[in-house]
Amino acid sequence: MNTEHTSPYLCPSCKTNKTRFNLIEQVVTPVKKNPQTGEIVEEYEDLTSQPMHMQYRGPEIRVQCAACGVIEEEISFIKRAEYDKSS
């Protein structure tokens, strides 16, 4: 991974796991599919020439709790840890 994820985490679901997580890198591949067959008919390299294809604006990574298995955006784990500290 090219970024350091140094904020503490706490699972927002089981609320007990603070140490074991899977970081899931999201790799975006913009494609055009055949609506009947589902076959990929084109992979886009340059989306600036594709006015009807919105660029992906989601998170770079998602986090999975290695205790209960829930998968959420990283911010959910960070905010739960912050909330737990303030309680």
Side-chain angles (χ1 to χ4, degrees):
M1 292 210 165
N2 54 6
T3 347
E4 287 188 45
H5 303 280
T6 57
S7 297
Y9 289 169
L10 174 59
C11 177
S13 182
C14 70
K15 298 175 185 69
T16 57
N17 180 26
K18 296 180 180 184
T19 58
R20 296 180 327 272
F21 303 96
N22 296 312
L23 300 181
I24 305 163
E25 289 186 44
Q26 301 204 116
V27 179
V28 178
T29 305
V31 298
K32 181 177 182 179
K33 294 182 84 170
N34 178 303
Q36 284 76 39
T37 66
E39 178 184 351
I40 294 174
V41 293
E42 188 173 359
E43 286 190 24
Y44 299 119
E45 297 288 323
D46 178 21
L47 288 181
T48 58
S49 64
Q50 302 298 322
M52 299 299 288
H53 198 111
M54 181 184 293
Q55 286 189 329
Y56 177 73
R57 293 191 178 113
E60 279 185 34
I61 68 157
R62 292 181 64 88
V63 178
Q64 180 182 35
C65 173
C68 75
V70 72
I71 299 173
E72 296 284 343
E73 289 189 33
E74 182 182 36
I75 193 68
S76 299
F77 288 83
I78 293 170
K79 291 294 183 188
R80 186 65 205 178
E82 289 173 358
Y83 176 77
D84 189 59
K85 276 185 187 176
S86 68
S87 297

